[in-house]
Amino acid sequence: PTSNLFLGSGLVDLQAVHDKGIRCGLGTDIGAGTSFCQLETLNEAYKVGQMRKFKMSSLAQYHLATLASAGALSLDHRIGNFLPGKEADFVVLDLCATPLMERRIGQCKTLEE
């Protein structure tokens, strides 16, 4: 989404992509985009979805950035989740890294929150 937003080339219709069963993932593109950060890209994808009236849950977004992206590249048999035998590069996020994040996490009742 960041390259489309930067170039002004349109907003992807994820609902139509989903409804048609088209394999779709989330990636970054610094050539026309603005960041290599998947979290920033997820943030922008959320905003684009909101503008297009397509609401994605945080779990659906996480899936889009991981296993769905692997599937879009036909690599889901090798990467995309933590099943035994799969390759993985990952980061561990501190959900309480800042006082605001710690407060927010303290209010959550479900994984999706």
Side-chain angles (χ1 to χ4, degrees), residues 75-81 85-88:
L75 293 173
D76 46 327
H77 63 287
R78 292 185 52 200
I79 61 173
N81 60 28
K86 288 195 175 183
E87 301 172 35

Side-chain angles (χ1 to χ4, degrees), residues 56-94:
M56 281 183 74
S57 71
S58 55
L59 295 179
Q61 287 182 315
Y62 183 74
H63 178 262
L64 185 65
T66 56
L67 191 56
S69 291
L73 298 170
S74 298
L75 293 173
D76 46 327
H77 63 287
R78 292 185 52 200
I79 61 173
N81 60 28
F82 294 118
L83 290 178
K86 288 195 175 183
E87 301 172 35
D89 290 325
F90 59 92
V91 298
V92 177
L93 302 174
D94 180 357

Side-chain angles (χ1 to χ4, degrees), residues 37-49:
C37 178
Q38 281 286 70
L39 294 176
E40 287 183 32
T41 303
L42 278 169
N43 181 34
E44 296 303 318
Y46 173 80
K47 293 173 190 173
V48 168

Side-chain angles (χ1 to χ4, degrees), residues 39 91-98 101-102 105:
L39 294 176
V91 298
V92 177
L93 302 174
D94 180 357
L95 299 179
C96 297
T98 68
M101 290 172 65
E102 185 173 17
I105 290 298

